[in-house]
Amino acid sequence: MNRIVLMVTAVLIGSTFSNTARAQLLKRIKQEVKSRVENKVVRETGDAAEKSMDKAKEGVTGATKGTKDKPVETVDGNATTNNRSFSEYKSYDFVPGDRIIFQPDLSGEADAELPARFSIKRGNAEIQRYESEKILHLDKGGYVTVAPLMKNEDYLPKQFTVEFDIMWENDKDYFDQFNDVRVLFLHHGDNNFESYGMYEFTLISQEKVVLGAHSGNGQKIPEALKNSLQSNDIWHHFAIYVRDNIAKAYIDQYRVAASNNMPTGAVKLALNTDGRYGYKVKNFRIAAGGDDKYNKIVTDGKFITHGIFFDVNKSTIKPESMGTLNEIAKLMKDHSDLNFEVQGHTDSDGSDDANMKLSQTRADAVKTQLVKMGIDDSRLTTKGFGETKPIDKNDTAEGKANNRRVEFVKM
């Protein structure tokens, strides 16, 4: 009976309630259930409800699924396009790092609970279900700061990338006040998360950005982006690239800031919001590296990409992939002697057969897109390996994310 109640309630919450009402109702449900059963039973029941809803969603969308307990993929680490087109991303040049060091999978966490993979440094935050997926919700009404929960304090290398999707909540038809969204970068031993850190990337009042020291001058953003940001029902993708003293920052398809005089030595980061409105956050990812791909070919005969994004369980390429695809297309045009086998790889979730088919169709999709971008068909072959060639363990979210990849192997 408890499973049925939770399943029906979850559907109603996702389809008929406002964000504020949803959060309040989730808390009331949690309190009522806890008064009847032990916490362990609640978590098991919630997991069963989530799996049932995922299966129902697959039946509606026609998504590929395996014969094991989990679908082929639980998290794909991909950004949300909001129906943006490839043409809008034609000049996009952000390329994620090639080794993922933080990418939490929120799908297994309980609703209305504290996040398991983020440390709350200030304010209130919890896991919520929004539409068909779990998100990290940052409450309004007070400054909120969360940081990745890592085993070691010093986890940022000299070269890294940070990405996340964010949507702000405004219960009015207009923004009468504007928020700041800030990514703080801190040095070793700095636990003052109410400060501004060594440097920051901040979106100020949906009008300008700062990349560097807090005292730096803000840079205005494109008018089209400004108009898009002043909406509370659109996901926006933030991306930051850092290599020593060089940094670049992106919002959606726009590069909004760049600097070659950044302070060096940051070892950790935090996400901060000023609290006038609530926020939804998902697809948070930190990746290390991102060396020049030609050097990888010379030394290793191949390179790995984590910047080609697909719809979950599908081979549909997302426009945010254009940064990586543009880099590969340019590499092949500059070096006419380079020919590649495009290899698709998955994690171990789902059936072996489904993973093999998915990896092949994704490799084929990548080749098709590169041919559209001017690469001769004869220079590319494809091969799907499914889950048969992992490069990391499949027992952590980060390990699975590293295993979901596209490789380019020199022929």
Side-chain angles (χ1 to χ4, degrees), residues 302-326:
K302 67 176 183 179
F303 59 86
I304 295 171
T305 65
H306 290 292
I308 301 178
F309 301 121
F310 303 91
D311 288 339
V312 176
N313 295 333
K314 297 181 181 180
S315 56
T316 306
I317 299 176
K318 293 197 170 189
E320 293 91 334
S321 309
M322 284 301 293
T324 297
L325 291 169
N326 282 333

Side-chain angles (χ1 to χ4, degrees), residues 36-83:
R36 297 179 183 181
V37 295
E38 296 178 355
N39 287 341
K40 180 179 179 181
V41 177
V42 174
R43 289 181 180 276
E44 291 175 349
T45 302
D47 290 343
E50 289 158 21
K51 289 178 181 178
S52 298
M53 291 180 68
D54 289 340
K55 289 180 179 179
K57 178 176 178 288
E58 288 168 1
V60 173
T61 61
T64 304
K65 61 182 176 61
T67 58
K68 300 178 184 178
D69 290 338
K70 294 183 179 180
V72 175
E73 294 176 329
T74 53
V75 171
D76 205 28
N78 47 11
T80 302
T81 63
N82 294 300
N83 297 318

Side-chain angles (χ1 to χ4, degrees), residues 292-309:
D292 179 80
K293 288 179 171 50
Y294 188 73
N295 290 335
K296 285 286 188 180
I297 297 167
V298 172
T299 58
D300 301 336
K302 67 176 183 179
F303 59 86
I304 295 171
T305 65
H306 290 292
I308 301 178
F309 301 121

